[in-house]
Amino acid sequence: DCNEIEFVPWDKRIDNKKKVGLKEEYTAIFIGSWHPPNIEACGHVINIAKKTPQIKFLIIGSVCLALKDYKLPKNVGLIGVVSDKEKKLIYSIADVALNPMTSGSGTNLKMFDYMAAGIPVITTEFGARGINSNAISHIFISEVEKTHEILNNLYNNTYNEIETKVANARKVVEENFDWRVISKKVISSLQI
């Protein structure tokens, strides 16, 4: 629902990070429920974090319950289940969103949330399943084993280099994946 997810441009994202004391932190997020494919993806996030100690990783959602006994690197934090207000705040300060999925079924709806919020997305090809090629051109596709390389590239570059990519990703979500667009297509197909 693009009316519920604010697109946060880079300058506002920097201001938001200052307000919460994260101006100097580069933050990657992963959101998921307590579901085996998400637990598996968190294992990938933890491995990526070990290769990129300069980046802070936040894991959000009930998947954190499955990770409570894991030995986590210092740069990984478990946030747990959050309210919609807290999720909006997280979306407004994140530098990048990860979706290193390698199993599961269906389309990962979190991808559309990330894209709508203006967060650069790194995902696996499997994690992008169900998303049309136009949308895929506005995200970063990577094998899990190479995700840290793309993450390092984003960390070392200015946001200006990907500003067009995230703006186009938001537009693709608005035009193809927003609930109002989808519901109009469903209603139209049901009318005989």
Side-chain angles (χ1 to χ4, degrees):
D1 184 351
C2 290
N3 284 342
E4 292 296 317
I5 300 174
E6 178 185 3
F7 178 85
V8 180
W10 185 244
D11 55 345
K12 186 172 181 185
R13 195 169 291 278
I14 293 295
D15 287 342
N16 291 343
K17 289 174 69 167
K18 284 180 193 173
K19 289 176 188 173
V20 297
L22 294 174
K23 179 182 181 259
E24 302 302 321
E25 303 291 346
Y26 191 89
T27 307
I29 63 168
F30 174 82
I31 294 180
S33 61
W34 189 343
H35 178 57
N38 286 331
I39 296 168
E40 180 182 40
C42 284
H44 299 314
V45 170
I46 291 165
N47 288 332
I48 294 163
K50 290 175 183 175
K51 296 175 183 174
T52 53
Q54 75 281 17
I55 296 171
K56 302 294 184 210
F57 293 78
L58 300 178
I59 300 175
I60 301 116
S62 59
V63 71
C64 293
L65 296 170
L67 304 174
K68 63 183 171 79
D69 296 326
Y70 276 53
K71 181 165 173 41
L72 300 172
K74 291 181 182 180
N75 60 332
V76 176
L78 302 179
I79 304 298
V81 177
V82 296
S83 68
D84 286 342
K85 182 179 178 181
E86 291 165 323
K87 186 165 64 170
K88 286 178 186 179
L89 173 62
I90 291 166
Y91 284 168
S92 77
I93 62 171
D95 293 289
V96 65
L98 303 175
N99 191 44
M101 303 299 292
T102 53
S103 66
S105 61
T107 303
N108 292 134
L109 298 180
K110 64 184 136 217
M111 293 281 291
F112 302 125
D113 288 352
Y114 296 156
M115 293 163 66
I119 308 168
V121 179
I122 305 172
T123 188
T124 58
E125 192 172 314
F126 186 85
R129 69 200 180 283
I131 300 175
N132 67 34
S133 59
N134 186 28
I136 288 174
S137 68
H138 303 297
I139 58 180
F140 299 90
I141 304 288
S142 174
E143 297 172 18
V144 170
E145 299 78 18
K146 296 189 178 197
T147 299
H148 70 282
E149 295 173 10
I150 293 176
L151 193 51
N152 274 324
N153 286 339
L154 292 176
Y155 174 78
N156 291 316
N157 289 314
T158 63
Y159 191 81
N160 294 339
E161 296 179 30
I162 57 170
E163 200 164 16
T164 301
K165 196 175 200 81
V166 296
N168 288 337
R170 168 66 185 218
K171 185 176 179 185
V172 167
V173 172
E174 288 174 345
E175 294 174 353
N176 298 283
F177 302 107
D178 185 76
W179 287 116
R180 280 169 296 288
V181 172
I182 293 169
S183 62
K184 284 179 186 175
K185 290 177 183 177
V186 169
I187 291 168
S188 175
S189 68
L190 294 174
Q191 293 175 342
I192 300 176

